[in-house]
Structures are given as C-alpha cells and as structure tokens.
Amino acid sequence: MKISLDWLKDYIELDLSLPDLIEKLNMIGLIVEDREEQGSDVILDIETYANRPDTLGHLGIARELAAALDLGLKEQKWPLTEFEQKTSELVDVQIWEDDLCPRYSGIVVKGIQVGPSPEWLRKRIEAMGLKPVNNVVDMTNYVLYATAHPIHAFDLAKISGGRIIIRKANGGEVLRSLEDSDIALTPEMLVIADGKKPVALAGIIGGEESSVKESTQDVFIESAFFDPISIRKTSKKTGISTDASYRFERGADISFPPQAALMAASLLTQFGGRASEGITDAYPKPRKEKTVVLRHHRVSDLLGLEIDEEFSVRTLGSLGFQVEVQQEGVWQVKIPHFRVDIEREADLVEEIARFYGYDKIPASVPPLRVLEPPMEPRREKINKIRHLLFHNGFDEVLNFSFSDPEKEARLQTGYKAIEIRNPISSKASLLKTTLLGGLLENIVWNKNRGAEGIHLFEIGNIYFWQKETSREQLTLTLASTGPVGPVQWRRKSEETDFFRVKGALESVLTYLRHEPFSFKEEDHPLFEQKFSLALIFKEATVGYCGLLKRNLLDSFSLKDPVWAAELNLALLFKKQPYSFQYTPVSRFPSITRDVSFIADQNVDYQDIKEVVEKLNIPNLKEFDIYDRFSGSSIPKGKISLSVRFVFLHPQRTLLAKEVDELQEKIIDSLVTKFKFQLRKGGKIDKRIRKD
Amino acid sequence: MKDFKAKIEEHKERFEKALTRAIDEKSLQEVRNTYMSRKRGALKLLFEELKTLKPEDRAEAGQMINKLKMHVQKKIESSLKKLTVPKPLARERRIDLTLPGQKEYWGAQHPVSLFQQEMENIFIAMGFSIEEGPEIETDYYNFEALNFPPYHPARDDWDTLYITDDLLLRTHTSPVQIRAMEKRKPPIRIIVPGKVYRRETPDPTHLPMFYQLEGLVVDKGITFAHLKGTLEHFLKTLFYEKIKIRFRPSFFPFTEPSAEVDIECIVCGGKDEECRVCDGSGWKEILGSGMVDPQVLKNVNVDPEEYAGFAFGMGIDRTAMFAYQIPDIRYFYENDLRFTRQFNLK
Ligand SMILES: [Zn+2]
C-alpha cells in the first residue's frame, strides 16, 4: 500500500524524522518496504496483511500511528451544497440479496462540470501511482485511498428508471465493463442493475455504459458493503481484480458507507455540483459491534511478562476499542467495525503486545518437561547412507520434483505420473516418477562444464498414483560415469563401472544390516539387455542397477556409458534389519588358504558362492574371490579364478590337518559341480595368518 | 700420559654423541670419516701424536688408540646395519618429499542438505525431535486446519500448485503441525524440515520448490518469551553470538500474536544505503513465527485454555543464501559440482 506522508498529515500531526517514523511503523508491524521522494512529499510502500483491510487507506495507517505515538486524529469536515430534493426520490434502491449486500448507501450530485481535477487532487492521485482521469473518477479513487472504502460513481442519466437493484445476475446477462470487454454473468454473481439490466459487477467493476464521461452532468454515488466471499468468488471466476474488489474481499467497514458517500458528494460539490438531500441508506439488518471478553491475566500468560492494566486500557482505547470493566481483571471490549480481524481474546493480546513492543518482551527458554527422541530412525538411516556414499565418492545432489512429460516418458518407469493442474510451465507439469532424469541432467550440466568423472546420488521422493491414491516413495538413485577421483602422480584414476554402483548398493544394505540380500539377473526398461540386476531382500525387489540404455543416454546427448542404480528406501525401511550383536574376537590364529582354479567362463560367482555356503563348513569364517582373469596363459573359453578361504575356530588353534580336510571337501564339491580344475602353479598355499 | 688418556676418553664421548645424532647412512659415513679418514681423521691424528709421548708410554697409548679404533668401527658397522632404510631411499639417490600427498576422493554433501543438518542439530540440542509429513497434502491440512478459511484472501500469499480440487503440493511445512498434534498430545517439541512448493516462476530469489524448516512447541505455560528465547538461541548459534535480532509484528492465519524475525544484515551491518542484500534497511527477514492460534489448537482438540504453543518457519535455502552470500537461489539446483563441492570445507 502506497502511503503519501503529505496525505497522512491530513489526518495526523507528524513531527518526527522519516527514519523514526519508519522505525515506528515497522515496530507495530507496518513494514516499510520502499520509500520514494516525490517533490516535497515522500511515498512509503507499506506491506499490509490480508486480515487488515483497514490499513489499505491513509486513514487506517493514521489510526495506527496515532495509537503508537499517543496522538489524536485530526477531525475532517465534509460540507455539502445541496439542492432541494431527497435522494430517495431520485433513486430507488432495492436490496434483493441482503446477505450479499447488507448495506447500500448513495447520494446524487447534479450539475457537475466533468473535467480535469484540481492540482491538489491530481497530486494525490499521482502519489498513488495512478494517472488522473477526470475530477469524478479521481474523486472516487481519492476516497478509496483515503479511507480504504471503495465507492462507485454512475452517470445518473444512464440509470434506467432511476432504479438501483442489488440482485444476482440472470443467466445469459452480460456486462460491458470499463475495460471494454464483455463479462459473461452467471447466476451466483451479485450485480447492481437498473430497471433493465446490470450496470455494475457489484464491488468489482462498473459497466461502461453507465460510467462517468465528459458529457456526464449528474452522478449517483454508490457506497456499499458487499459480502467478502461473494466478491472473492466472482473476482476469481471472472479473473477481474480491482482496487475495490481487493478491499471488499478482505472486508470493508460496514459502518462507513454513508460517511464515504458524504465525503464523495462534498468533494463533488467543490467542483460545482450540488448534492441531493440526505443520504439514502439501505441497511436492513444493522449489525452490532462485536464484543470480545479479555481476561487481563491472559496477556501475561501468553506473553510471559506482566503488563500494566492501565497500559492495556490506554492502547485499546487509542485503537478505537471501547473497554468496559465487567469484573476485576475481566473486560468487555467493543470492537469497531473497521477492525474485521479482531474476534478473539488472543487478537486483543496481539494488539497490546504490538504497541507494548515485541522488543520489550523478555527472552527465555521453555522448560523441558518431556525428552523427545532426537532422531526418527528413518532419518538416522538416511544420514548413514549419505555418509557411506560420500566415502564411496558419490556427490549429493538435490533436484526439483517437477518433470517434463516428454522426458518422463523416455524414462519409462511404468508409474502413473501425478499431474499438476496449474503448473508453472508445461515442461514442469508432472511430478517425478524417478530421480534418474534429474541425475542425468546434472551429469550433462557438469560434463558441459568440463567435468569428466561424475558420480552422483539423490535421496528424495518419487510420486505416482496408486489407483486413486497419490503416493510418495522415498528413493535413492545413483548415477556414475567417467574416471573416479582426481588425476594424481601416484596412481591412475580408475574408470567407473558396473561394480562400482553395485558395490555402493551392497555397502548400503550391509551397513543398514539388511542382510542377507541377493542379486538376480533381470531385464529392466532403463538398462541394456543382460546388463542389469535386481536387488532382492526378504523376497522383495528393493532396487536394481545396471548400464543405462544407449538410446536413453543419446536422448540426453551423453556419449559415455552411465551406470545407475535405484533403491526403494520406503520399502527397505519397512523391513526389519537384523539386530546388531558383538562377536568376541578369537584369540587363536586363523588359517588362510588360497586356491586357483581353471573354470568355464560361464560359471557365475554367485553360484559358486551358493555351493560353498550350502556346504555349511564349520569354522569357515570368510570366503571371497580375489582374482579373476583370462588370457594367453588360460585355455580359450576358460578363466582363472582365485578364491580365498579363511578358517578360524573361536576356542582353539585349528590343526593344519583339519583345515586340509575341510578344504578338500570344498574343492571336491566345486570340481564335481562345475568341473573346475586346480590350476597348475595354483598350489595350495598354507600360510597362517595372525589377525 | 694422563692427558693422553683423558683425550682418548673425550674422543670416545664425542663419538658416542655424534653417533646418536647420525640417523641415516650419510651422516654415519660422515661420523666415520671424522674418525677414520686416512688423511685427517681423528684417529690418524692421535697416532701422529704418539711421537710426542715418552717412549715407555707409547705402547700403552697405541693400544688405547687401537681399542678406540675398533670401537668406532664396530659401532658404525652395527649402526649402519640397524638403519631401516625405506626401499625407495635405498634405490634412489633422493626422494622428492615435496611431491603432493595422496589424495583420497570423497563425495560432498549438497549445501542445502548440509545447512539443513546444521539447523537440525541446533534444535536437537534444545530437545526438539524431527518430524516429517507428506509433500502432497489436502486442502484441509495445508489451509483449513491452519485457520485459512475457504475463499480467504490470505491464501493468495501462498500461491499454490494444485493436483485436484482437494490435493495440492504443500505450500509450507506447517501442515505437519496439525498432523503431529493429531498423533499425540502435548508436550510437543518438534521441527519439520522438508520440501515445499509455490507457484512461482524461478528467478534469483524465487523458486517453485524450496526447503523449509518448521518448528512447533506446545505445552502448558508456553509464552511469547519462550518463542523469543528459543529463536534467539537458534540464530545466535547459527550465525554468531552477538548478532542483532529484531522481532516485529506480522500476520499469519495460524499464529496469534504473529512475529517476523529479522537479523542484522551481515553484509553491510546497516551501513550501506545501497546494500543489495538488505536494501539499505540493515535488516534481513529470516523467520516467520508466532503463538499458535487458539483456533488451530481447537482444530486438533487441544484446549487453548490449558495449553499454549509457539511455531516458526524459515526457508533453508534462503537462509543459506544469506549466510554464504549466494546471489542466486537457482545455483542450489543447478548441482554444479564446482559449486556444491566447495561446501565440503564447511
Ligand atoms: Zn545490508
């Protein structure tokens, strides 16, 4: 809301410096966002709130300042030059919808010379950032910006039959507005009609035909109160928002219409017009002022400090509230109609606090009566995953939840995407059904800026419809391309590959104690055929990893291979991890045996592992593969596999003979099952390792 | 003769000292040279000195020198053996120790998630727990239960992205206040970090999605003073102890009284009329807050006569922007690694 200091001085004596004034306004909640000098005047741009329509005019701001500075308001006089005819004889006002229009006042002013406004009025209008139009239009704007009460002027000659009917529109009726466009009216819209047709969309905009023009001589001034919800609905439906509708939908002062009409007529008589006798005022069900009970101890209960009753009485009084003591410390407070925001005791407490000064309220810390668990287990897990992935060399990214339908289609998640009804752009009209698209865009962005190795992860929701229900599913997605780590003199950086993303998934599950898990070869629409694995935990597929399809990468203009993985954290977190237990460290030495085989290249490690596990060898503590190669030294179609077994007994030193037997058993079953050959030179190593 | 004997002893002592200082092959060889050099070694000089002694003493003195010589030889040999020379040193003449050390590569946390954690930790230390809620909300939780009546213009300040008539992307984390209070009775002391959405076109200070951190405390006897104390402690910890903080009246439908919290402009300290960060006001708005509106408490069946509470909310990315002087909020979501990885140093 623009406020002219000059104009403000019509209402209040101000003799403090501009910085002090601004500080004062700020500290009662009227934030001065901007200020601009205009000649001798200063225009402040004050932030106002949706619940304070009374501050949408100079009078309202003056009232607030008066209370803050302990000053009175200057009285304003609105003298009239009248002609001898009653208003009600000239205009017949009929309210047909008194719920939507509880009050309608008006007055006629005749014999006006429509023309440019006088200098003082032009200045006021310009201070509000508007262009002066003519004295009548400028006057209506003047009243609005002065008092926050919107009024409207009709060309009396265009009001057919001298009738003003406040009714709902009939289906099919149309209003040509001042903006030269036709508004199609629907039956729930409130209109001002004359004897024949609508002449204004009530409280929002006037019709073109009845508007004041150069030729106008006599005007009818409307000053009414319209139902805020009805105004807002119609404003939303027609897409028309005006200074008037902005104020009416926030709530006008129902006690004010006659005064605004008087003010308008008085100004017009200054321009040579003469006003009809008496203001017509249809107010079928006069409203009483609200009363709110204030128990004064509630002020200190809520604020945490004692405030003098005298201060409270004075503050409420200076804001226009009437305080009546009901009993010791309990007051009946009568609320003026312009304060539509005050309804409850708490609202009055705020008024007292606001003028007491928030800065004078002490600061203390609330006592801890109950201790809460600091961390939801879910978040603890997320933090753990994050740190694990940092150690694995993955950078965290955060992307928008929005997605381009065209891109989303390429990612083929199979989920039914959730559409936003009013998106900021058609390229952001869906919610993501995978985080992968964002990660690929991040890779492109960084590649275009010179990065080579890019390894990213994001933890966040994906969104989709599951039947009629919207779902949010916490997901972890990884994408990895190019070399890992910086180029350095000591060692070459490795290229990322499938086993890096797989390893990241494995370590996440291991460290969350979601074991045992397994992988299954399974085709997936995102990945190259025969190049993806599903991750299985407790019989459910919780994720997958693989090499992204070439055509998908091409569509992102990515030439290098990108390896990716997705993990359904929502599902994973629902499953119980095994509980952690400490295992005593054996005091006895372990025995390590390394064995090399020549194996068929089609034998899968997972199968070997299963065979070994099924043997249930006692005291076999570790089993792992440590070398795998093929080449000129190995027959065609074969590979060399080196595996390591570590044996350990918790209570005694194992004898070499015992271990020999166990090892033979393993080798025998591998040889039988997979036709392994012990490798030449792949001697059995009988080292003893001391852990 | 006595003098000569003392001299031998002195040499021996000096040798022992030199030996303890000699930590590598090079310095050991130097020590050896000092004593054994055929030209000017200490031993050679001692032998020459024999001539100056009385003839009857010469034999004994010669033995003493020989004994010292054997001692030096033996000691140096054994010290050389004991030297545990690193392999490269053994092969190369010299290793360049000024070469850079080995760099391990680790990933970096996204600055918004990092800043969020920093904020969370301050509140956790004050006894808050972390709560979460859905991003796709109903009109009831996002607006109505928070005292935004239907058709109230206050809704305009929360420009909303809708999915259906009733479903929307939450415009703030405040719906979780309602969800938390529906789940359990006070005392409640929670924070709620998360994504929120507004129908805003991206520009340097606006985004259609950003992160917010909400807080709620409900208990018997909670006051505005507690709100001030909690937020002051938080801001002083997050920024610095002496930071100037200002509470001023504001309006939110779900709090009464409401307050906005400003901190002094950490860029210009209020001294620059043209400051881009604070527009010359010297203050930067950082938090919205207030006492929980009695109607909100009633909506979740908490008696406002018995309980009171305060709530607050702030933008995480927005605050990070201010704290690190990041001129454009969109930088956070470009995920440029040259930008995000810097925060590893935080
Ligand atoms: Zn500044």
Side-chain angles (χ1 to χ4, degrees):
Chain A
M1 171 74 204
K2 284 199 163 81
I3 291 294
S4 141
L5 282 194
D6 253 12
W7 198 340
L8 208 51
K9 285 173 187 162
D10 290 352
Y11 293 97
I12 185 170
E13 212 69 63
L14 285 176
D15 59 356
L16 65 174
S17 73
L18 186 59
D20 286 352
L21 177 71
I22 289 174
E23 173 74 5
K24 205 84 206 173
L25 286 166
N26 284 343
M27 293 322 278
I28 56 170
L30 294 165
I31 299 307
V32 178
E33 289 187 315
D34 209 357
R35 61 185 189 199
E36 190 194 332
E37 276 170 44
Q38 268 185 24
S40 60
D41 196 5
V42 179
I43 314 297
L44 303 179
D45 194 356
I46 296 181
E47 187 189 344
T48 56
Y49 305 112
N51 67 335
R52 293 295 306 274
D54 60 305
T55 58
L56 294 170
H58 286 73
L59 173 62
I61 300 289
R63 276 195 202 113
E64 289 276 304
L65 268 176
L69 299 168
D70 225 348
L71 295 170
L73 285 182
K74 290 186 196 169
E75 216 178 300
Q76 296 208 308
K77 290 207 171 65
W78 301 106
L80 284 182
T81 320
E82 292 178 328
F83 63 91
E84 282 182 21
Q85 196 170 6
K86 286 213 165 96
T87 308
S88 52
E89 285 167 18
L90 288 161
V91 180
D92 172 23
V93 173
Q94 293 177 25
I95 301 179
W96 291 4
E97 299 288 339
D98 61 2
D99 283 345
L100 304 186
C101 176
R103 188 170 200 176
Y104 195 99
S105 317
I107 190 165
V108 169
V109 181
K110 284 191 167 178
I112 302 163
Q113 280 269 295
V114 176
S117 296
E119 185 53 33
W120 71 265
L121 181 54
R122 297 176 63 90
K123 215 186 120 199
R124 291 280 184 259
I125 297 305
E126 280 163 359
M128 296 299 98
L130 298 178
K131 272 209 175 103
V133 181
N134 60 47
N135 48 8
V136 178
V137 172
D138 293 350
M139 175 281 299
T140 59
N141 282 326
Y142 174 84
V143 173
L144 181 140
Y145 289 114
T147 66
H149 196 89
I151 57 168
H152 186 70
F154 294 102
D155 186 336
L156 184 61
K158 302 284 163 59
I159 301 294
S160 171
R163 294 178 72 192
I164 289 285
I165 301 163
I166 300 100
R167 61 161 167 90
K168 284 186 175 167
N170 297 319
E173 278 183 323
V174 163
L175 178 74
R176 167 145 297 193
S177 78
L178 290 173
E179 257 104 60
D180 264 353
S181 62
D182 286 341
I183 304 165
L185 303 174
T186 50
E188 75 283 359
M189 294 178 181
L190 188 72
V191 296
I192 313 299
D194 61 9
K196 287 182 183 158
K197 57 178 189 305
V199 291
L201 194 54
I204 299 175
I205 198 161
E208 206 282 325
E209 207 185 322
S210 61
S211 70
V212 174
K213 303 179 189 73
E214 293 286 309
S215 57
T216 303
Q217 288 185 337
D218 307 335
V219 300
F220 171 66
I221 292 159
E222 163 197 291
S223 178
F225 178 96
F226 299 110
D227 174 61
I229 292 177
S230 154
I231 296 287
R232 183 165 170 85
K233 282 184 175 167
T234 303
S235 164
K236 285 269 161 194
K237 187 150 188 195
T238 55
I240 302 170
S241 174
T242 57
D243 277 335
S245 70
Y246 189 82
R247 283 159 179 78
F248 279 127
E249 67 182 15
R250 280 161 175 74
D253 177 356
I254 201 165
S255 70
F256 203 69
Q259 212 177 318
L262 174 71
M263 193 174 157
S266 171
L267 286 163
L268 288 184
T269 59
Q270 286 179 35
F271 307 147
R274 284 183 309 139
S276 53
E277 264 179 25
I279 285 162
T280 177
D281 185 17
Y283 192 12
K285 295 174 192 155
R287 291 188 189 172
K288 273 204 190 131
E289 284 174 328
K290 285 172 284 187
T291 3
V292 176
V293 174
L294 175 65
R295 296 159 296 167
H296 198 259
H297 71 91
R298 291 293 289 169
V299 178
S300 42
D301 286 355
L302 270 178
L303 299 183
L305 90 160
E306 291 296 330
I307 287 183
D308 266 0
E309 288 198 1
E310 198 212 311
F311 175 84
S312 300
V313 173
R314 201 172 63 232
T315 301
L316 295 176
S318 66
L319 284 169
F321 301 111
Q322 280 179 330
V323 179
E324 208 179 283
V325 178
Q326 213 175 32
Q327 62 184 77
E328 178 73 32
V330 181
W331 310 341
Q332 286 262 13
V333 184
K334 209 181 256 180
I335 314 300
H337 284 298
F338 60 80
R339 287 303 298 270
V340 296
D341 60 315
I342 306 285
E343 275 172 346
R344 295 97 28 102
E345 194 176 46
D347 301 327
L348 291 174
V349 174
E350 179 176 66
E351 292 307 288
I352 294 164
R354 213 153 58 87
F355 288 90
Y356 185 81
Y358 281 11
D359 52 331
K360 291 199 204 102
I361 297 173
S364 64
V365 183
L368 265 182
R369 293 206 306 134
V370 170
L371 292 175
E372 305 236 21
M375 196 65 88
E376 229 199 329
R378 195 176 104 113
R379 291 190 69 80
E380 218 167 334
K381 287 179 187 172
I382 291 174
N383 284 346
K384 206 167 175 180
I385 294 173
R386 249 200 212 117
H387 285 281
L388 196 66
L389 292 172
F390 295 150
H391 286 291
N392 279 282
F394 286 87
D395 280 290
E396 186 183 28
V397 294
L398 295 177
N399 285 294
F400 292 126
S401 309
F402 313 111
S403 182
D404 180 351
E406 190 262 317
K407 268 188 191 142
E408 205 61 24
R410 273 188 263 152
L411 291 163
Q412 300 182 55
T413 56
Y415 289 122
K416 191 179 169 211
I418 293 173
E419 214 171 319
I420 300 169
R421 215 166 58 179
N422 56 339
I424 51 161
S425 115
S426 62
K427 287 192 181 307
S429 62
L430 293 184
L431 292 177
K432 280 179 175 161
T433 58
T434 169
L435 302 177
L436 188 64
L439 294 187
L440 290 177
E441 279 167 14
N442 301 148
I443 289 179
V444 171
W445 174 282
N446 282 288
K447 280 221 161 213
N448 290 344
R449 282 155 188 82
E452 285 179 353
I454 303 160
H455 318 282
L456 308 175
F457 79 92
E458 181 169 7
I459 295 172
N461 282 332
I462 59 168
Y463 315 82
F464 52 88
W465 288 114
Q466 198 170 51
K467 289 182 186 147
E468 302 288 289
T469 316
S470 64
R471 288 284 315 273
E472 298 171 30
Q473 186 171 292
L474 190 70
T475 305
L476 161 70
T477 303
L478 298 161
S480 181
T481 185
V484 182
V487 178
Q488 49 184 327
W489 67 277
R490 270 173 71 72
R491 60 174 186 204
K492 289 213 172 81
S493 47
E494 284 167 43
E495 277 295 308
T496 191
D497 64 9
F498 175 77
F499 294 100
R500 203 166 124 73
V501 287
K502 185 184 179 193
L505 277 189
E506 285 171 333
S507 59
V508 167
L509 267 78
T510 299
Y511 282 94
L512 293 178
R513 298 193 308 276
H514 285 309
E515 280 190 315
F517 54 84
S518 63
F519 287 94
K520 196 170 87 191
E521 269 183 62
E522 200 176 280
D523 280 343
H524 187 284
L526 281 177
F527 299 117
E528 292 288 358
Q529 254 192 345
K530 305 275 172 211
F531 232 130
S532 69
L533 291 181
L535 172 58
I536 318 286
F537 176 64
K538 292 196 174 167
E539 276 103 53
T541 301
V542 292
Y544 45 83
C545 57
L547 172 63
L548 290 176
K549 267 191 184 151
R550 177 77 340 246
N551 59 0
L552 174 66
L553 294 178
D554 284 343
S555 74
F556 281 85
S557 305
L558 283 164
K559 288 197 192 75
D560 299 325
V562 178
W563 311 87
E566 205 150 76
L567 186 58
N568 181 345
L569 294 181
L571 180 59
L572 192 67
F573 289 174
K574 272 190 210 137
K575 301 194 180 280
Q576 194 68 27
Y578 70 83
S579 57
F580 170 77
Q581 259 181 334
Y582 143 79
T583 328
V585 176
S586 172
R587 299 171 167 275
F588 302 94
S590 62
I591 296 178
T592 300
R593 296 286 168 86
D594 290 345
V595 188
S596 294
F597 299 104
I598 301 292
D600 193 280
Q601 65 179 8
N602 292 325
V603 174
D604 281 351
Y605 174 70
Q606 184 147 315
D607 297 335
I608 302 171
K609 199 173 164 220
E610 268 169 28
V611 167
V612 174
E613 275 164 3
K614 274 203 190 118
L615 287 173
N616 248 328
I617 303 285
N619 303 326
L620 175 62
K621 199 177 166 236
E622 279 173 40
F623 163 73
D624 213 344
I625 179 164
Y626 70 90
D627 199 11
R628 185 187 192 276
F629 68 94
S630 56
S632 53
S633 60
I634 308 296
K636 234 185 161 186
K638 303 277 180 188
I639 45 164
S640 163
L641 280 180
S642 300
V643 289
R644 167 167 293 185
F645 304 98
V646 179
F647 298 92
L648 177 69
H649 195 289
Q651 273 112 26
R652 62 178 175 83
T653 305
L654 283 169
L655 301 173
K657 224 179 95 190
E658 291 176 86
V659 175
D660 289 348
E661 275 167 25
L662 295 175
Q663 185 182 309
E664 276 316 314
K665 199 174 163 193
I666 300 171
I667 292 173
D668 280 351
S669 60
L670 290 177
V671 167
T672 323
K673 177 96 184 169
F674 303 111
K675 304 201 169 63
F676 281 181
Q677 291 172 284
L678 273 179
R679 221 188 121 202
K680 238 202 239 163
K683 260 190 295 178
I684 295 165
D685 183 351
K686 293 189 181 173
R687 276 178 300 153
I688 290 179
R689 188 171 79 187
K690 281 186 185 158
D691 291 287
Chain B
M1 181 62 195
K2 255 188 188 168
D3 288 351
F4 193 78
K5 205 170 179 178
K7 209 177 219 167
I8 295 276
E9 281 305 312
E10 200 191 313
H11 270 298
K12 198 175 166 190
E13 258 173 56
R14 221 183 284 161
F15 166 73
E16 298 289 352
K17 262 189 204 160
L19 200 63
T20 54
R21 278 197 298 265
I23 47 153
D24 56 13
E25 195 182 337
K26 200 179 157 203
S27 50
L28 277 172
Q29 295 297 0
E30 273 167 20
V31 176
R32 190 211 295 264
N33 288 341
T34 314
Y35 290 87
M36 314 280 277
S37 167
R38 284 186 196 159
K39 279 181 185 170
R40 252 174 303 160
L43 292 167
K44 165 97 176 155
L45 296 177
L46 281 172
F47 276 120
E48 277 171 12
E49 219 175 295
L50 278 178
K51 296 169 205 159
T52 65
L53 295 178
K54 287 179 202 157
E56 65 264 32
D57 290 337
R58 282 183 197 161
E60 199 193 335
Q63 267 182 3
M64 284 197 293
I65 300 173
N66 269 329
K67 221 170 143 193
L68 178 62
K69 189 180 169 184
M70 302 246 296
H71 178 75
V72 168
Q73 241 165 356
K74 212 171 115 196
K75 279 277 181 148
I76 288 194
E77 287 308 321
S78 76
S79 291
L80 275 173
K81 262 184 214 155
K82 267 189 246 160
L83 269 186
T84 46
V85 186
K87 272 184 188 165
L89 261 184
R91 264 185 262 119
E92 283 178 34
R93 198 175 57 83
R94 170 182 166 268
I95 186 147
D96 179 2
L97 298 179
T98 67
L99 282 168
Q102 183 171 313
K103 293 180 189 78
E104 291 305 331
Y105 185 83
W106 65 93
Q109 188 164 7
H110 189 279
V112 171
S113 114
L114 186 78
F115 207 67
Q116 174 182 327
Q117 227 168 23
E118 233 174 281
M119 290 174 157
E120 287 174 0
N121 288 342
I122 301 172
F123 285 111
I124 287 170
M126 283 194 277
F128 283 76
S129 72
I130 299 177
E131 244 345 279
E132 286 177 339
E135 293 169 40
I136 298 171
E137 264 297 2
T138 60
D139 185 88
Y140 176 76
Y141 284 104
N142 196 73
F143 288 123
E144 223 175 310
L146 289 164
N147 206 23
F148 289 80
Y151 300 105
H152 195 277
R155 290 183 173 216
D156 288 352
D157 299 339
W158 281 258
D159 236 338
T160 312
L161 289 163
Y162 282 94
I163 291 164
T164 65
D165 282 345
D166 188 47
L167 283 182
L168 46 82
L169 290 172
R170 66 175 178 194
T171 57
H172 44 191
T173 38
S174 310
V176 188
Q177 287 186 23
I178 304 296
R179 290 183 176 276
M181 288 192 282
E182 279 178 348
K183 261 195 285 185
R184 57 201 166 121
K185 292 291 143 204
I188 287 174
R189 189 182 288 228
I190 56 165
I191 51 165
V192 187
K195 285 177 186 165
V196 300
Y197 301 85
R198 302 274 169 90
R199 195 171 186 282
E200 305 237 36
T201 312
D203 72 22
T205 52
H206 296 91
L207 284 179
M209 184 198 96
F210 54 96
Y211 283 77
Q212 217 174 41
L213 188 120
E214 181 92 7
L216 174 73
V217 172
V218 183
D219 201 350
K220 286 176 180 156
I222 293 295
T223 69
F224 196 94
H226 293 142
L227 161 72
K228 278 187 79 173
T230 303
L231 293 181
E232 280 184 8
H233 174 76
F234 166 72
L235 290 170
K236 285 175 175 182
T237 314
L238 189 68
F239 289 93
Y240 45 88
E241 180 60 31
K242 293 235 161 75
I243 195 156
K244 276 193 229 144
I245 300 165
R246 170 173 100 168
F247 288 76
R248 53 178 173 77
S250 188
F251 164 70
F252 305 104
F254 41 104
T255 51
E256 187 78 27
S258 302
E260 234 148 352
V261 189
D262 300 336
I263 56 175
E264 66 180 312
C265 178
I266 58 174
V267 178
C268 74
K271 289 184 187 83
D272 180 5
E273 284 273 322
E274 310 274 285
C275 176
R276 270 204 228 150
V277 173
C278 68
D279 285 330
S281 70
W283 294 101
K284 182 78 187 167
E285 185 185 313
I286 209 101
L287 269 150
S289 65
M291 300 302 290
V292 180
D293 192 284
Q295 188 56 50
V296 172
L297 293 176
K298 279 184 200 158
N299 291 346
V300 288
N301 295 318
V302 171
D303 181 3
E305 291 290 310
E306 195 182 346
Y307 289 99
F310 65 79
F312 54 87
M314 76 196 94
I316 297 173
D317 6 27
R318 205 170 281 268
T319 310
M321 239 177 118
F322 177 61
Y324 301 123
Q325 306 306 312
I326 296 160
D328 192 325
I329 196 167
R330 290 171 296 188
Y331 291 175
F332 288 123
Y333 301 95
E334 285 171 350
N335 292 299
D336 190 318
L337 295 175
R338 296 168 302 177
F339 174 77
T340 55
R341 286 187 64 81
Q342 287 178 42
F343 293 86
N344 246 349
L345 302 173
K346 247 299 279 175

